[in-house]
Amino acid sequence: MDFSLLYFANREVTDTAQEYELLVKSAEFADSHDFTAVWLPERHFHSFGGAYPNPALAAAVLAARTQRIRLRAGSVVVPLHDPLSVVEDWSFVDNISEGRVDIALASGWHPNDFVLAPDRYAVRREFTFGAVNEITDLWAGKKIWRRNGKGEEVETTTFPRPVQAELGLWLTCSRSPETFDEAGARGLNVLTALMFQGTDKLAENIERYRTVREQHGHDPAAGKVTLMLHTFVSENDNAVRAAVRGPFTEYLLSSSDLWKAQYLDFQGSDPKTTAKWAFERYFHRAALFGSVDRCTSFARELHAAGVDEIASLIDFGVEHSAVLTMLPHLDEVRRKLNGSGLQRGRVTSAS
């Protein structure tokens, strides 16, 4: 089972010299301890996640500080860009990293983000799926048609040419079975989370994803399912609960206005009550919180449900020094899990 790190900080900048220290130091740890990748988000116009307005910029920084880990966008909000600029940016990072780039694609969800492309909000899903082929073609060196400044249709391709012949592509899937279907039908990998689905529903969606892959001629076992989990591992559960409860609750509260504006489930609810309930849910069944043994057991359960990779979100507010001290414990989970002879619960025709 692969283990990676993922970032989605809620930061009001108070010390610019330290703003991205955790990003760099934790990525260097991952690079030297057999972690698979770092996942870098795209977020606009809000402190929740707003430390990362362009994942390619963060990836370029890490390309110069690491040697082997994959540098992944988690995710590019495709309707806010032209596929040409997506491929240009990530081809550049692919060059300076010597071929270590992958991208997760997302359609976006919050209307305020779309001040960058207001006409695309209503058709954001269609635009995202339509862009997949263009991104793939441009990465392969093919040309696409665009209208230039004179109104003329011209064939256009991108430079620099990437190092990798093919680009690893994920589709970000929150809870909608239909989005898992789209990923399966197109042969894409999946980046998902437990924010709006439990582990039983996740297992159902993964099973559905692999079935649809097979129906569309893709190897059902080949697609990778990456699960984002808020993560803090230490010697015992009580120590972890004490360390994360305050910062994580504040982290949840910092995003309450975003969720309430988008999801009816949150409208009319008291943010503090909801955050208190959410913390208990995350601590017990939706995050990698606790001792090494507890987290190893949960990760093993997730692998049996079909998860191939855990992407640990580590920058949710715990002091940087404590997070860096936590990383060896997370590495112990990784080593224990991968030395235990993992087995999947499902059987496919490709097994």
Side-chain angles (χ1 to χ4, degrees):
M1 191 175 193
D2 290 341
F3 279 74
S4 300
L5 301 181
L6 185 146
Y7 305 86
F8 207 94
N10 173 45
R11 295 185 190 152
E12 298 286 353
V13 177
T14 56
D15 186 346
T16 55
Q18 300 298 317
E19 179 71 3
Y20 299 101
E21 178 185 41
L22 179 60
L23 169 69
V24 174
K25 288 187 175 181
S26 59
E28 290 174 340
F29 179 93
D31 191 50
S32 61
H33 286 79
D34 292 327
F35 282 64
T36 298
V38 290
W39 291 85
L40 305 158
E42 176 181 345
R43 186 75 188 93
H44 299 281
F45 316 127
H46 197 283
S47 64
F48 185 73
Y52 295 100
N54 186 338
L57 294 177
V61 170
L62 297 183
R65 302 292 294 266
T66 58
Q67 299 296 319
R68 50 160 297 278
I69 53 171
R70 306 294 297 179
L71 305 171
R72 292 176 176 165
S75 307
V76 172
V77 184
V78 180
L80 304 184
H81 306 275
D82 190 304
L84 288 164
S85 64
V86 173
V87 174
E88 282 184 332
D89 289 349
W90 286 94
S91 292
F92 174 83
V93 181
D94 203 50
N95 275 267
I96 61 175
S97 68
E98 299 182 340
R100 293 188 278 132
V101 159
D102 303 297
I103 298 178
L105 307 174
S107 58
W109 59 278
H110 200 277
N112 290 354
D113 296 353
F114 283 78
V115 297
L116 295 171
D119 294 340
R120 293 179 185 167
Y121 180 70
V123 294
R124 59 193 183 278
R125 284 176 56 85
E126 294 84 352
F127 185 93
T128 299
F129 298 135
V132 172
N133 289 339
E134 285 193 332
I135 290 171
T136 302
D137 286 348
L138 288 166
W139 194 270
K142 298 179 181 179
K143 296 181 179 181
I144 63 173
W145 290 95
R146 284 290 190 272
R147 184 173 298 176
N148 69 13
K150 294 183 177 180
E152 302 166 339
E153 295 290 330
V154 295
E155 283 191 306
T156 307
T157 193
T158 59
F159 294 94
R161 300 302 315 134
V163 172
Q164 299 178 103
E166 295 184 4
L167 176 64
L169 288 175
W170 274 248
L171 184 65
T172 301
C173 306
S174 57
R175 60 177 172 178
S176 167
E178 290 74 22
T179 310
F180 281 83
D181 288 352
E182 287 281 358
R186 296 171 182 274
L188 304 175
N189 302 308
V190 165
L191 175 62
T192 189
L194 293 177
M195 289 184 292
F196 301 116
Q197 59 182 339
T199 52
D200 289 344
K201 184 62 176 178
L202 172 65
E204 291 177 12
N205 282 332
I206 293 173
E207 181 74 19
R208 178 170 178 155
Y209 160 70
R210 300 205 183 278
T211 297
V212 174
R213 282 184 64 91
E214 188 169 30
Q215 290 171 347
H216 286 78
H218 306 292
D219 182 351
K224 174 169 281 190
V225 176
T226 301
L227 178 68
M228 182 280 287
L229 289 174
H230 300 84
T231 297
F232 196 90
V233 187
S234 191
E235 289 88 354
N236 61 73
D237 297 346
N238 290 335
V240 171
R241 187 179 181 90
V244 303
R245 183 168 188 168
F248 190 64
T249 301
E250 289 299 316
Y251 184 75
L252 295 171
L253 285 170
S254 71
S255 64
S256 62
D257 60 324
L258 295 174
W259 305 122
K260 288 177 74 171
Q262 184 69 10
Y263 295 104
L264 294 176
D265 294 351
F266 291 91
Q267 294 179 10
S269 61
D270 175 63
K272 291 185 178 180
T273 300
T274 301
K276 181 179 179 180
W277 170 84
F279 171 77
E280 295 299 333
R281 174 183 177 270
Y282 275 102
F283 189 83
H284 291 289
R285 291 296 299 169
L288 206 62
F289 287 161
S291 66
V292 169
D293 287 344
R294 174 178 174 165
C295 291
T296 302
S297 177
F298 188 36
R300 187 177 291 115
E301 178 184 340
L302 292 169
H303 187 270
V307 174
D308 301 293
E309 175 185 5
I310 289 175
S312 288
L313 194 162
I314 61 171
D315 60 344
F316 55 84
V318 176
E319 286 292 329
H320 291 183
S321 59
V323 175
L324 294 172
T325 301
M326 179 274 298
L327 290 176
H329 297 296
L330 177 59
D331 187 46
E332 187 177 353
V333 174
R334 181 191 65 80
R335 288 184 284 110
K336 287 187 69 172
L337 197 72
N338 288 325
S340 63
L342 293 174
Q343 292 184 349
R344 284 276 163 76
R346 72 183 301 279
V347 176
T348 71
S349 60
S351 298

